Amino acid sequence: MSRTAAILLAAGTGSRMQGTVDDKVLAPLAGRPVFAHSAVAFMASGIADFYVVVYRDQRQMTELAAYAPTPSALVAGGRERQDSVMNALSSLPGDIDYVFIHDCARPLIRPEQLVALHKIVRRENAVVLAHRVTDTIKEHTIMSRGKAGDSSRLRTLDRAKLWAMETPQVFSRELIVRAYAKVVSLGRRITDDAAAVELLREPVALLENPYPNPKLTTPADLAYLEFLLSR
């Protein structure tokens, strides 16, 4: 029988919070720390047999441990997000077949979405929670720079083909380990896990999210998240 692990990333520095909170994943949100919302959703879904909680420092580790799902391992994060993911992957038990990777700064994940992702990954090997882009997106290219200003060019991208990536992102263990090995061999810097799989030219399925799932990035996001949770 296949077994699944969930990597819960909590080691980010939160520099764009401008010092309004000591630690954004431990900031209070609707009566519990931001991190706890993700932990509770995962436990309610029942999809994971094992958890890896990635922490930033010893002080944070102690506080996260109080809310960590069980059974779990607490693993130190790295300098970049991809380093944290690789640390977590290397700590997984040998019998894990599928891996969820979730940024705990996204506290609005729902248990039913986790169950749906779990079903898809066993068929597709890679699936990402995502939403369609509704804004008009333009590519901006600087052609030349001069005293009178920059000469630049805009190109409108086809909005129908654009999706914004969220987390969780879910993979077969064999695929995501191989993908991160490719990242290392190429010396690439990536910002999400699907980008690693793209380097292998492997397909990644999308699960459209009809609900808001914003990432806590700036101080204003806390009030927005509180509003969404109140609904």
Side-chain angles (χ1 to χ4, degrees), residues 121-137:
V121 75
R122 285 177 285 182
R123 182 177 69 246
E124 304 288 349
N125 280 331
V127 58
V128 175
L129 192 65
H131 63 270
R132 295 177 187 272
V133 171
T134 56
D135 293 328
T136 297
I137 305 296

Side-chain angles (χ1 to χ4, degrees), residues 178-207:
R178 186 159 48 90
Y180 267 100
K182 187 73 170 181
V183 170
V184 172
S185 69
L186 295 176
R188 295 291 182 87
R189 184 176 183 271
I190 59 172
T191 56
D192 84 329
D193 311 292
V197 175
E198 291 167 31
L199 294 175
L200 298 176
R201 301 184 182 275
E202 294 283 354
V204 178
L206 298 179
L207 175 63

Side-chain angles (χ1 to χ4, degrees), residues 71-176:
S72 64
L74 280 79
V75 174
R79 181 174 179 177
E80 305 285 349
R81 181 190 184 281
Q82 64 196 60
D83 302 316
S84 294
V85 173
M86 287 188 286
N87 288 354
L89 289 171
S90 67
S91 72
L92 292 175
D95 61 351
I96 295 297
D97 300 290
Y98 299 101
V99 184
F100 280 70
I101 304 175
H102 180 58
D103 291 325
C104 290
R106 292 187 187 271
L108 299 190
I109 185 64
R110 296 166 175 245
E112 63 268 26
Q113 294 171 326
L114 300 175
V115 172
L117 288 164
H118 197 217
K119 290 180 180 177
I120 295 170
V121 75
R122 285 177 285 182
R123 182 177 69 246
E124 304 288 349
N125 280 331
V127 58
V128 175
L129 192 65
H131 63 270
R132 295 177 187 272
V133 171
T134 56
D135 293 328
T136 297
I137 305 296
K138 294 183 183 289
E139 181 181 71
H140 180 221
T141 303
I142 301 294
M143 307 301 293
S144 63
R145 296 185 182 276
K147 292 182 179 180
D150 294 339
S151 172
S152 63
R153 180 176 63 197
L154 292 179
R155 183 171 71 92
T156 303
L157 303 180
D158 183 357
R159 185 170 61 187
K161 297 179 180 178
L162 299 178
W163 291 73
M165 299 297 100
E166 302 179 10
T167 70
Q169 301 190 0
V170 197
F171 310 91
S172 73
R173 180 192 187 155
E174 183 277 332
L175 177 60
I176 195 62

Side-chain angles (χ1 to χ4, degrees), residues 18-34:
Q18 303 168 12
T20 55
V21 294
D22 291 335
D23 187 330
K24 70 178 182 180
V25 298
L26 292 173
L29 177 66
R32 57 169 61 124
V34 169

Side-chain angles (χ1 to χ4, degrees), residues 38-61:
S38 294
V40 167
F42 270 91
M43 287 188 288
S45 74
I47 55 91
D49 302 288
F50 188 79
Y51 295 88
V52 179
V53 177
V54 183
Y55 64 87
R56 184 177 61 255
D57 53 38
Q58 291 296 314
R59 176 186 172 189
Q60 189 200 47
M61 180 190 73

